[in-house]
Amino acid sequence: KAGVTQTPRYLIKTRGQQVTLSCSPISGHRSVSWYQQTPGQGLQFLFEYFSETQRNKGNFPGRFSGRQFSNSRSEMNVSTLELGDSALYLCASSWGGSDYNEQFFGPGTRLTVL
Amino acid sequence: KNQVEQSPQSLIILEGKNCTLQCNYTVSPFSNLRWYKQDTGRGPVSLTIMTFSENTKSNGRYTATLDADTKQSSLHITASQLSDSASYICVVSAKQAGTALIFGKGTTLSVSS
């Protein structure tokens, strides 16, 4: 069974640009969650999608958005990039909601904002 | 405020030795607690998930304990190996609608030969 895949793996952008990251969950998983990981803050929850609906949202500004498609694939978008958005962005999938079910993480997308 | 705190922040041990990592949480109402292992440059991998009624759970050389009364958990690693060098993250889920998982900042373990 293929694991969670994320594309691209590395990305370099400049301030003010926007970026879209993609996540393909494990086949059969309906929940996809997104996280930001930085050395200072650790892992922080961005949002979770379940069956194309946003189930929960973390404490991030509106520049961070996401969506989930009917095949459970998910994208997250960050608009008007800031230097502080440089981070590892991880997505995780689970069969059911992330609060009760084991999550499987992808390798992450390393975003650098210059 | 829901928080998860881990100690120590970092730890260095010799190969073959045992170690214990700590996790204290203030998340309420409690649903479950997880331990993840994250190798450098990779996504976290689940080690254990424990609900309120579980006191101990093992996964090979990893044994997690949970004391829901004191809101403490520990992860014990037996006979450490070089491949155990990683960050270990404690995560707590609260039992409420639309909840998010609350992550600790992790303990960085280095196993040396």
Side-chain angles (χ1 to χ4, degrees):
Chain A
K1 197 181 225 184
V4 178
T5 58
Q6 293 186 246
T7 56
R9 292 293 314 278
Y10 303 91
L11 205 50
I12 299 176
K13 292 285 187 178
T14 57
R15 280 180 299 173
Q17 287 187 309
Q18 77 165 21
V19 66
T20 299
L21 312 182
S22 181
C23 172
S24 293
I26 290 172
S27 178
H29 284 192
R30 296 174 294 171
S31 167
V32 173
S33 298
W34 288 90
Y35 300 90
Q36 181 194 67
Q37 187 174 34
T38 58
Q41 296 298 320
L43 269 158
Q44 293 183 284
F45 171 73
L46 280 157
F47 27 67
E48 178 185 6
Y49 286 88
F50 185 87
S51 296
E52 301 181 66
T53 301
Q54 188 178 85
R55 185 168 179 258
N56 198 12
K57 190 177 189 303
N59 190 27
F60 276 81
R63 299 185 297 108
F64 293 81
S65 62
R67 60 178 175 168
Q68 187 180 34
F69 302 97
S70 58
N71 61 358
S72 292
R73 190 178 69 86
S74 177
E75 289 181 346
M76 70 162 278
N77 183 275
V78 188
S79 62
T80 319
L81 284 166
E82 301 177 359
L83 295 179
D85 296 333
S86 295
L88 179 66
Y89 289 88
L90 292 159
C91 88
S93 76
S94 56
W95 182 84
S98 64
D99 45 355
Y100 289 102
N101 295 272
E102 183 178 5
Q103 287 188 301
F104 296 84
F105 282 81
T109 293
R110 172 75 61 185
L111 173 65
T112 302
V113 182
L114 303 176
Chain B
K1 182 181 177 184
N2 288 331
Q3 282 187 313
V4 175
E5 295 193 358
Q6 294 186 242
S7 62
Q9 189 173 5
S10 62
L11 184 63
I12 301 173
I13 62 172
L14 289 174
E15 187 178 15
K17 298 295 186 183
N18 303 334
C19 68
T20 300
L21 313 181
Q22 300 290 340
C23 173
N24 296 338
Y25 61 93
T26 57
V27 177
S28 182
F30 173 85
S31 175
N32 60 74
L33 183 146
R34 314 164 186 207
W35 283 95
Y36 286 92
K37 176 187 178 189
Q38 185 176 22
D39 293 317
T40 301
R42 309 187 93 168
V45 174
S46 177
L47 294 175
T48 63
I49 300 178
M50 288 186 291
T51 59
F52 184 88
S53 58
E54 295 174 295
N55 300 118
T56 304
K57 204 154 195 180
S58 291
N59 179 355
R61 296 180 295 103
Y62 301 99
T63 299
T65 64
L66 174 63
D67 186 334
D69 291 331
T70 62
K71 297 187 177 180
Q72 296 180 324
S73 176
S74 65
L75 180 70
H76 186 75
I77 304 174
T78 305
S80 61
Q81 300 176 358
L82 296 178
S83 59
D84 292 330
S85 295
S87 178
Y88 292 84
I89 304 169
C90 175
V91 185
V92 180
S93 174
K95 189 186 298 184
Q96 58 192 52
T99 187
L101 301 176
I102 299 109
F103 287 77
K105 293 191 176 182
T107 292
T108 300
L109 174 65
S110 298
V111 181
S112 60
S113 57

